[in-house]
């Protein structure tokens, strides 16, 4: 994948595998509806960091960014419950250990990927299977399925997008298994 | 997931766009400068791209655990040796190499030898014996391709086929569920979604480079290179009944019976009263003409068949 910059490789190896932890932290502060948005914002901050090589614990760093962004958002809200903010500062949620989340990489992750490819629309799944599992080149897939190269690309793009989103959703489910603040504190703040 | 794809996404879904970039980079058709400009334009673009690239990288590991043979043509990526422990960093390097090679080797694939193909329409059945030592029967609505040569290969693209392989011959059967390597014998292969069900009537075969061969009577469902094998000798008559233009039912639900029967019919039979779907049907029916089947439903269960204007047939209580 020559199209990846060094920072992208670092991001993919050090940051993305802990997505479930970030999402749990974000949901803890801002509720589930805003969690994705918050995590994406944190990713953007991290991926724009010029000194990313100096970050000793990328996971811990992103968790801190998530927390700070969440506090910023809460403070910006029109009416903020003082008791909630105070409790956030004092609580300073302990970082759940990596084991508390499915850190993607293991065999179960691969099984999940296989299942997600299977569940794709048939031609889309077929093309992705030929490309990634049979390792056929896109022009060869086009030739063998008697479709144009651009159709192969469209199938690959669609499948890749659907699978990426499905994995993100799975992260959201994993987060529900993790402890959050009591319901009474987790109400939307208006 | 197919359901989800029908829900309209927000206009600028960054994941979709990023996946589009990656697919065209992978195919070697992307304008690199346009891509770099898009990625540099907004850090959220870079995030979306890294996320789809991460899925792409993880999928590269699937080739390693699947049973597919190492690719025969040089435009494909080298498969990592099975005894090495994969690490994320290492997989990353392999994925990078794969991408580079796919880009460099694109032109080669275009020069691959032409193949022969055959297909059947709905309700059609056809025998092909153009490769020495190999005869293939295509069931309704099926499509195959083949390449002759020292090690002949057959692609099952759609539907169902019977394969007879003469002594001394070998065949690689390529399916969306994985590649079967078949010894001389008689086989039935049917696609089920992106899986492929292979029934061994005689002979033996393996899926990918799996060590344990299938035996006669085995029915193997290959999904993404992994086989789920059951011994189903008693099912073989039912599985191959289509070769005699018949459908054999042993007390299956009407739902199942119709799904099977409709494979052969342009005008489909549909259930009008939901509770009819619980009926259990037994018997042997002609697939060439549904009249006999509908008559059996009428006499045995009092089910009325009404032809609709669209050519479909609706079943209701009489």
């Amino acid at each position: 994948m020559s199209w990846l910059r060094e920072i992208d490789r670092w991001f993919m190896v050090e940051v993305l595998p802990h997505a479930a932890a970030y999402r749990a932290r974000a949901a803890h502060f801002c509720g589930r509806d805003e969690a994705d948005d918050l995590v994406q914002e944190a990713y953007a901050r991290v991926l724009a960091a010029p000194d990313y090589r100096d970050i000793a614990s990328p996971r811990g760093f992103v968790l801190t960014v998530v927390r700070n962004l969440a506090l910023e958002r809460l403070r910006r809200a029109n009416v903020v419950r003082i008791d909630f903010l105070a409790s956030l500062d004092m609580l300073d949620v302990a970082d759940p250990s990596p084991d508390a989340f499915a850190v993607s990489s293991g065999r179960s992750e691969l099984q999940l990927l296989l299942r997600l490819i299977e569940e794709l629309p048939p031609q889309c799944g077929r093309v992705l299977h030929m490309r990634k599992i049979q390792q056929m080149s896109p022009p060869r897939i086009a030739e063998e399925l008697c479709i144009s190269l651009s159709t192969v690309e469209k199938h690959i793009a669609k499948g890749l997008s659907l699978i990426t989103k499905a994995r993100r959703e799975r992260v959201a489910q994993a987060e529900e298994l993790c402890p959050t603040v009591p319901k009474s504190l987790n109400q939307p703040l208006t | 997931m197919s359901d989800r794809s029908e829900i309209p996404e927000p206009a600028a879904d960054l994941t979709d766009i990023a996946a589009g970039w990656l697919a065209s980079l992978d195919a070697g058709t992307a304008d690199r400068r346009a891509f770099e400009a898009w990625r540099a334009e907004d850090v959220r673009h870079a995030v979306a791209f890294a996320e789809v690239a991460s899925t792409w990288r993880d999928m590269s590991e699937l080739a390693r655990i699947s049973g597919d043979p190492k690719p025969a043509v040089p435009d494909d990526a080298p498969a990592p040796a099975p005894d090495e422990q994969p690490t994320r960093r290492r997989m990353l390097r392999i994925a990078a190499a794969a991408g580079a090679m796919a880009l460099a080797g694109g032109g080669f694939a275009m020069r691959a030898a032409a193949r022969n193909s055959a297909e059947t329409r709905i309700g059609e059945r056809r025998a092909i014996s153009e490769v020495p030592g190999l005869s293939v029967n295509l069931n309704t609505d099926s499509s195959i391709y083949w390449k002759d040569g020292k090690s002949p290969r057959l692609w099952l693209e759609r539907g169902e086929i019977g394969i007879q392989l003469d002594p001394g011959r070998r065949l690689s059967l390529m399916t969306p569920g994985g590649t079967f390597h078949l010894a001389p014998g008689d086989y039935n292969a049917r696609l089920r979604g992106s899986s492929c069900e292979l029934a061994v009537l005689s002979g033996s075969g393996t899926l990918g480079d799996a060590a344990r061969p299938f035996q006669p009577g085995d029915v193997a469902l290959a999904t993404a290179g992994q086989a789920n094998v059951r011994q189903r000798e008693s099912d073989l008559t039912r599985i191959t009944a289509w070769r005699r233009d018949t459908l054999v039912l042993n007390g299956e639900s009407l739902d199942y019976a119709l799904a099977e029967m409709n494979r052969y019919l342009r005008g489909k039979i549909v259930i009008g009263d939901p509770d009819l779907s619980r009926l259990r049907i037994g018997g042997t029916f002609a697939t060439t003409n549904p009249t006999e089947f509908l008559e059996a439903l009428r006499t045995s269960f009092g089910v009325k068949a009404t032809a609709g204007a669209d050519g479909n047939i609706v079943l209701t209580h009489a």
Side-chain angles (χ1 to χ4, degrees), chain A residues 1 3 8 14 104 114 118 120 129 131-133 135-137 140 144-145 153 157 161 164-165 167-168, chain B residues 13 15-16 24 26 29 39 49 51 55 58 60 73 75-76 88-89 95-96 115 157 176 223-224:
Chain A
M1 285 195 279
W3 49 75
D8 296 320
E14 302 289 350
S104 60
L114 283 178
E118 265 171 56
L120 289 172
H129 189 268
R131 179 72 192 97
K132 298 306 289 184
I133 296 166
Q135 297 188 306
M136 294 161 67
S137 73
R140 210 174 128 216
E144 302 206 331
L145 294 180
E153 275 179 41
S161 176
T164 303
K165 289 173 188 172
R167 296 215 304 176
R168 213 183 286 147
Chain B
D13 184 311
T15 307
D16 286 351
S24 58
D26 177 56
T29 61
R39 177 162 60 183
F49 188 80
E51 204 179 356
T55 302
D58 291 347
S60 299
V73 286
D75 59 330
D76 290 315
R88 292 200 148 260
R89 282 174 204 284
R115 282 176 314 157
E157 287 286 320
T223 305

Side-chain angles (χ1 to χ4, degrees), chain B residues 72-305:
Chain B
V73 286
D75 59 330
D76 290 315
D83 54 342
E84 292 182 86
Q85 278 299 316
T87 65
R88 292 200 148 260
R89 282 174 204 284
R90 196 173 148 272
M91 289 314 299
L92 208 64
R93 284 201 297 277
I94 289 163
M101 291 184 74
L103 286 169
F108 178 86
M110 299 300 280
R111 295 198 300 275
R115 282 176 314 157
N116 296 301
S117 65
E119 63 179 346
T120 50
R121 288 175 305 215
I122 292 174
E124 216 180 14
R125 193 153 73 73
R126 193 173 160 194
I128 305 283
S129 48
E130 289 184 21
V131 177
L134 168 68
S135 29
V136 181
N137 264 289
L138 282 83
N139 196 359
T140 176
D141 193 19
S142 300
S143 164
I144 57 167
Y145 298 93
W146 65 87
K147 251 185 190 162
D148 201 359
K150 220 169 114 190
S151 47
R153 290 188 286 171
L154 176 70
W155 284 258
L156 175 55
E157 287 286 320
R158 188 174 81 241
E160 181 171 25
I161 53 173
I163 300 168
Q164 270 116 25
L165 201 57
D166 288 354
R169 305 286 300 187
R170 295 261 156 188
L171 178 73
S172 295
L173 172 65
M174 329 285 280
T175 78
T179 300
F180 292 101
H181 301 286
L182 305 179
D186 188 350
Y187 308 89
N188 195 87
R190 176 174 173 180
L191 294 192
R192 296 185 180 275
S194 56
S195 302
C196 180
E197 182 190 87
L198 181 84
V200 182
L201 286 81
S202 66
S204 72
T206 54
L207 179 66
D209 48 12
R212 202 186 77 81
F214 307 130
Q215 307 294 325
D218 279 352
V219 177
L221 186 71
T223 305
Q226 307 277 356
N228 178 8
V229 189
R230 298 155 297 155
Q231 176 68 34
R232 283 287 171 84
E233 192 129 27
S234 56
D235 265 6
L236 295 181
T237 316
R238 185 182 57 74
I239 289 172
T240 57
W242 64 269
R243 300 184 189 181
R244 297 175 293 282
D245 289 322
T246 52
L247 171 63
V248 176
L249 297 171
N250 297 312
E252 281 88 1
S253 69
L254 184 59
D255 273 343
Y256 173 87
L258 290 184
E260 287 296 301
M261 190 56 106
N262 281 336
R263 295 171 64 205
Y264 303 91
L265 305 176
R266 288 188 174 281
K268 307 296 183 195
I269 307 175
V270 297
I271 291 177
D273 289 338
D275 57 320
L276 283 182
S277 60
R278 288 198 294 271
L279 291 181
R280 299 268 160 193
I281 322 279
T284 302
F285 304 94
T287 54
T288 44
N289 184 347
T291 317
E292 188 190 31
F293 177 69
L294 294 173
E295 182 60 15
L297 285 179
R298 191 182 67 79
T299 53
S300 312
F301 300 106
V303 172
K304 196 172 90 177

Side-chain angles (χ1 to χ4, degrees), chain A residues 2-153:
Chain A
S2 58
W3 49 75
L4 292 174
R5 302 163 303 177
E6 203 189 324
I7 191 168
D8 296 320
R9 297 172 197 278
W10 169 82
F11 184 76
M12 287 162 63
V13 172
E14 302 289 350
V15 177
L16 277 180
H18 306 291
Y22 313 141
R23 204 183 181 287
R25 172 67 62 93
H28 174 101
F29 287 135
C30 283
R32 243 180 287 157
D33 293 344
E34 269 190 70
D36 269 335
D37 195 41
L38 199 63
V39 172
Q40 291 295 322
E41 200 181 331
Y43 284 166
R45 298 277 173 110
V46 173
L47 205 51
D51 49 356
Y52 67 94
R53 285 185 202 83
D54 300 332
I55 299 171
S57 161
R59 173 193 160 92
F61 179 76
V62 179
L63 285 171
T64 308
V65 172
V66 166
R67 178 182 174 282
N68 293 343
L69 287 173
L71 290 179
E72 221 174 87
R73 281 191 188 196
L74 290 172
R75 290 197 167 106
R76 268 206 315 266
N78 286 340
V79 180
V80 176
R81 280 168 46 186
I82 301 297
D83 56 336
F84 183 40
L85 272 187
S87 75
L88 284 184
D89 282 334
M90 279 161 48
L91 206 69
D92 214 354
V93 197
D95 176 20
S97 71
D99 299 329
F101 302 94
V103 174
S104 60
S105 77
R107 200 172 169 84
S108 66
E109 184 63 22
L110 293 180
Q111 298 294 350
L112 171 80
L113 274 177
L114 283 178
R115 190 167 58 71
L116 293 175
I117 294 176
E118 265 171 56
E119 287 170 3
L120 289 172
Q123 186 77 340
C124 183
R126 190 171 301 147
V127 169
L128 215 54
H129 189 268
M130 290 167 100
R131 179 72 192 97
K132 298 306 289 184
I133 296 166
Q134 292 170 279
Q135 297 188 306
M136 294 161 67
S137 73
R140 210 174 128 216
I141 296 170
E143 192 226 338
E144 302 206 331
L145 294 180
C146 294
I147 55 179
S148 69
L149 186 58
S150 74
T151 306
V152 171
E153 275 179 41

